[in-house]
Amino acid sequence: MKDSKTFIFLCLVGFCSFVSYDMVRRPALALFVESLGAGPFLVGLLVAVSTVTGVILKLPMGLLSDQINRKRLMLGGVLAFAFPPFLYPLISDLWTLGLLRLFHGLATAMFTPLALAMVGELFAKRRGEAFGWYTSATQGGGLLGPMIGGAIVFQYGYSPTFLLAGLFGLLALVFFWLIPQTPSPSRVHQHSPSTVWKEMREGLHRVCQIPPILITSIVEAAKMMGNGTLMAFLPLYGLIIGLNAAEIGVLFGVQAFTSFIAKPVMGRISDRGARQPLIVGGLCLCGLMVMFIPHIQGYILLLVVAGTFGFGEAVVTSSTTALVADYSEGKDLGAGMGLRGTIMDIGHAGGPLLAGILIHALGYAGGFFCIGVLLLLTATYFGLRMIGIKNPVVL
């Protein structure tokens, strides 16, 4: 009963946090950056810079959470969801915006890998389905955030959008306090900081010695490279073909909606032993959709492509998260999720940066094509390395 209550409130925290986070990110952020005078490269840089925090901190946070109480560490992430949105209306230059984006990145860096590790502990036998439901909750935030944010930007401007995002962040903080307290790992109560540090190093060594964790994390990085590319440049492409901010927000909402609906179902399917083929198929679908986008000018067809990308994203994530948890079984769940998060954020940060350079050199068609090809090549690599490898047995 306590596990169910913990899971429900954790899902509510994830939902409200990502309503807030995605209200800032999609489509408001790229449009806001462009309004301050940035070109494609700087748009990509400032959209991506928050993930630098995740690259640096997700792995240490995951490792540390295997040694001390996860909920205490997660508080920092929830606070970073709640308060930075209130600062965006005060920004008038790109340099200060970049610093705020780094600070805002603490939210996902300190919350996401720990929340996933907590879900993995609560549901060892049905991880794919549990991860599907939890990530659907966060995806629900990703559904509402862009749609609400795009409509408010279109009607009232940037400041009301950012302030409302802050209110959703504060609501997430309220739900966080309602999560039942979980006990700290007993092995740490009498340990010194040096012993905790030693155990963190040993946990990192163990997970880095498991190739499926690294290979699966690379898939997540590739998927997030595609996601980051859309986050930064779909709003700008939408303006080019005559869409307004509200219509662009609906594109991201449809992407999130299909992912929201599909993740629990695909997670349940992946629990039946089909994780590897699902990952290959989902990533190929994401790559193809990225390649199609700059050749489409009709809004209805763009909605279909955005929704299909969201479905491919759901297929990938519901299986990769569970697969990493399977191989990180035992006391290294936080380490496995932290390593996955760090590698994933490298892709998330690299996508907008690389896409910005490619779009500047090759235009939207050439830039999106190259990103799509990278996703297809990653799917091929994963398939050659992983299909046929049996999932570890989770007791």
Side-chain angles (χ1 to χ4, degrees), residues 10-369:
L10 191 61
C11 288
L12 289 170
V13 173
F15 173 77
C16 293
S17 295
F18 280 91
V19 170
S20 172
Y21 203 62
D22 280 293
M23 196 180 295
V24 171
R25 288 197 302 177
R26 301 182 295 171
L29 182 61
L31 302 176
F32 181 58
V33 173
E34 189 183 49
S35 75
L36 295 178
F41 176 75
L42 283 177
V43 169
L45 177 63
L46 287 167
V47 169
V49 73
S50 64
T51 57
V52 173
T53 315
V55 171
I56 295 170
L57 288 181
K58 276 187 177 177
L59 178 55
M61 288 296 106
L63 289 165
L64 188 58
S65 78
D66 285 331
Q67 309 305 321
I68 66 175
N69 187 276
R70 296 197 205 281
K71 186 181 176 185
R72 293 176 187 171
L73 288 176
M74 289 165 64
L75 175 60
V78 180
L79 290 172
F81 276 118
F83 293 109
F86 293 108
L87 301 178
Y88 281 90
L90 307 178
I91 301 297
S92 59
D93 66 276
L94 296 174
W95 174 255
T96 308
L97 179 60
L99 294 176
L100 179 57
R101 292 293 296 150
L102 282 171
F103 178 57
H104 205 175
L106 287 171
T108 56
M110 297 184 69
F111 179 79
T112 301
L114 279 57
L116 291 171
M118 187 178 288
V119 173
E121 287 178 329
L122 292 172
F123 299 95
K125 293 184 179 179
R126 294 183 292 117
R127 281 188 177 138
E129 184 177 356
F131 283 131
W133 281 110
Y134 171 74
T135 53
S136 278
T138 61
Q139 200 75 52
L143 162 66
L144 287 182
M147 296 180 70
I148 296 171
I152 296 176
V153 167
F154 178 63
Q155 291 289 338
Y156 304 107
Y158 297 109
S159 292
T161 305
F162 297 142
L163 293 175
L164 182 59
L167 293 177
F168 272 100
L170 292 177
L171 183 59
L173 187 59
V174 172
F175 285 127
F176 180 78
W177 287 116
L178 296 175
I179 296 176
Q181 185 64 45
T182 55
S184 299
S186 59
R187 64 183 182 277
V188 177
H189 287 309
Q190 61 272 48
H191 283 185
S192 66
S194 62
T195 304
V196 173
W197 172 242
K198 178 175 178 290
E199 292 183 355
M200 287 173 62
R201 293 201 315 269
E202 291 174 351
L204 175 60
H205 178 75
R206 284 192 295 268
V207 296
C208 286
Q209 295 300 308
I210 304 173
I213 292 179
L214 299 173
I215 295 167
T216 306
S217 298
I218 289 171
V219 169
E220 274 287 349
K223 184 211 72 179
M224 293 307 295
M225 180 176 288
N227 200 321
T229 297
L230 297 189
M231 189 184 305
F233 295 105
L234 182 56
L236 304 187
Y237 178 72
L239 292 180
I240 289 173
I241 63 174
L243 303 182
N244 60 47
E247 291 169 326
I248 295 167
V250 172
L251 288 175
F252 287 114
V254 168
Q255 175 191 334
F257 179 73
T258 55
S259 187
F260 169 78
I261 294 296
K263 278 181 176 178
V265 177
M266 302 313 300
R268 191 177 303 120
I269 293 172
S270 80
D271 282 336
R272 297 171 182 168
R275 303 203 205 282
Q276 289 93 333
L278 287 172
I279 291 169
V280 172
L283 191 60
C284 287
L285 193 59
C286 288
L288 291 172
M289 293 306 104
V290 170
M291 295 166 71
F292 288 161
I293 283 174
H295 301 285
I296 299 171
Q297 296 194 0
Y299 186 55
I300 299 300
L301 190 52
L302 268 181
L303 288 171
V304 172
V305 170
T308 305
F309 182 91
F311 176 75
E313 186 178 32
V315 173
V316 173
T317 300
S318 59
S319 296
T320 53
T321 311
L323 194 59
V324 170
D326 291 344
Y327 281 101
S328 307
E329 180 60 34
K331 62 181 180 180
D332 294 325
L333 266 173
M337 290 301 166
L339 182 63
R340 167 192 171 272
T342 291
I343 295 174
M344 179 182 74
D345 275 354
I346 291 172
H348 200 185
L353 292 174
L354 179 59
I357 295 169
L358 292 170
I359 289 169
H360 179 74
L362 305 173
Y364 279 90
F368 276 53
F369 177 81

